[in-house]
Amino acid sequence: IEGLGEKHISAFWQDGLIRQPGDIFRLKTRLDDIAEREGWGEISATKLIAAIDERRRIPLDRFINALGIPQVGQATARLLARHYRSLAHWRGEMEAAQDPESPARAHLLDVHGIGADMAADIIGFFAEPHNRAVLDDLAREVTVLDYEAPAQASQSPLAGKTIVFTGGLEAMSRSEAKARAEALGANVASSVSAKTDYVVIGADAGSKAAKAAALGVTTLDEAAWLELAGLAPAEAG
DNA sequence: GTGTCTCTACGGAAGACCGG
DNA sequence: CCGGTCTTCCGTAGAGACAC
């Protein structure tokens, strides 16, 4: 939520404006209280409420990521979203998995990338009544969108390739580049290894560029990346 | 206009997990 | 066990927003 960072969350919590995540989406009724706060005003309070409303619809993977389950970050959240498709289904499975004998538990472990340790953390999250209550409450305020498989361009030269970005890019942000690469069927990794196919070197690249060179991984400059991604701008001159 | 604050966007690295 | 990844944390810098 734009404009709602750690500091504000923590201050709101201390002053009792919010007690649990769902409360954020009910701040609308406290607009005047917010506007009167020190450092705030009518404009910022109104903008905050608008920014909150813009986040009422949220993709499943981001929702899972936001739960803060230990070991479940961006990548694992997406893994889960891809596998379970909807919040209702996932939650149903995780609650069924409370029973150690349940097939739901076996299914979770079948997900490539989820091992016993992560499964225990995930199932453990749903074992907490408090967490389930928070989810119930949040569900009343937000709409979690079912996972949509990205349409894959299997023709793309990037299909099936593992790519790593490092350094700053000019034409697009890192996250845009990542989204683009994934849309083209590439796997975007966060560190360079021998299995990496391409490393895109942006401005002020750090050790990843050196590692790519050491491992003999193909490196691309931004122009080459844009061309590979089918985004090549008209070459100057 | 000024000053403060937050957010965003990076890099780097440690530690831990997964799968083979 | 080990290579490959991912999560998590820390640090930095800059841009932008807004109260005052």
Side-chain angles (χ1 to χ4, degrees):
Chain A
I1 296 170
E2 255 173 80
L4 193 59
E6 195 182 323
K7 292 244 175 162
H8 287 150
I9 294 273
S10 145
F12 284 5
W13 185 81
Q14 277 190 338
D15 295 347
L17 274 173
I18 53 176
R19 279 292 139 192
Q20 56 176 334
D23 290 340
I24 290 168
F25 295 92
R26 291 177 213 107
L27 281 175
K28 198 177 281 199
T29 60
R30 312 289 297 271
L31 197 145
D32 292 342
D33 295 326
I34 295 170
E36 279 167 21
R37 296 176 67 82
E38 187 162 352
W40 289 77
E42 202 65 35
I43 294 175
S44 50
T46 307
K47 280 206 163 186
L48 175 63
I49 299 302
I52 288 169
D53 278 341
E54 274 181 31
R55 289 291 184 271
R56 281 183 191 271
R57 293 167 59 80
I58 176 170
L60 180 59
D61 58 324
R62 294 186 62 165
F63 183 81
I64 293 173
N65 186 193
L67 294 177
I69 301 171
Q71 303 193 65
V72 179
Q74 197 175 287
T76 306
R78 186 155 5 148
L79 216 54
L80 291 167
R82 194 157 61 209
H83 195 80
Y84 290 99
R85 302 284 165 158
S86 76
L87 175 59
H89 181 220
W90 180 54
R91 181 169 177 178
E93 288 285 294
M94 294 307 97
E95 290 184 356
Q98 298 300 315
D99 172 5
E101 305 299 319
S102 141
R105 185 172 289 225
H107 289 157
L108 177 60
L109 285 161
D110 275 347
V111 179
H112 195 270
I114 307 280
D117 228 274
M118 284 188 182
D121 275 342
I122 297 165
I123 293 168
F125 177 87
F126 285 91
E128 287 288 331
H130 169 74
N131 289 336
R132 294 200 302 273
V134 164
L135 273 177
D136 286 336
D137 181 60
L138 255 182
R140 279 181 224 117
E141 302 295 334
V142 305
T143 303
V144 180
L145 307 172
D146 290 355
Y147 179 80
E148 283 182 49
Q152 280 215 356
S154 53
Q155 302 289 33
S156 157
L158 283 170
K161 302 291 187 184
T162 295
I163 187 167
V164 172
F165 292 96
T166 187
L169 301 176
E170 294 282 331
M172 57 178 68
S173 73
R174 180 74 70 80
S175 57
E176 284 169 333
K178 184 174 177 180
R180 177 69 188 175
E182 281 166 354
L184 293 172
N187 170 43
V188 180
S190 48
S191 57
V192 179
S193 74
K195 284 177 116 185
T196 309
D197 294 297
Y198 301 113
V199 176
V200 178
I201 312 289
D204 297 322
S207 64
K208 288 190 186 113
K211 187 163 184 185
L215 292 171
V217 174
T218 306
T219 59
L220 307 172
D221 59 16
E222 184 169 4
W225 145 248
L226 289 173
E227 199 177 328
L228 209 56
L231 297 169
E235 286 291 330

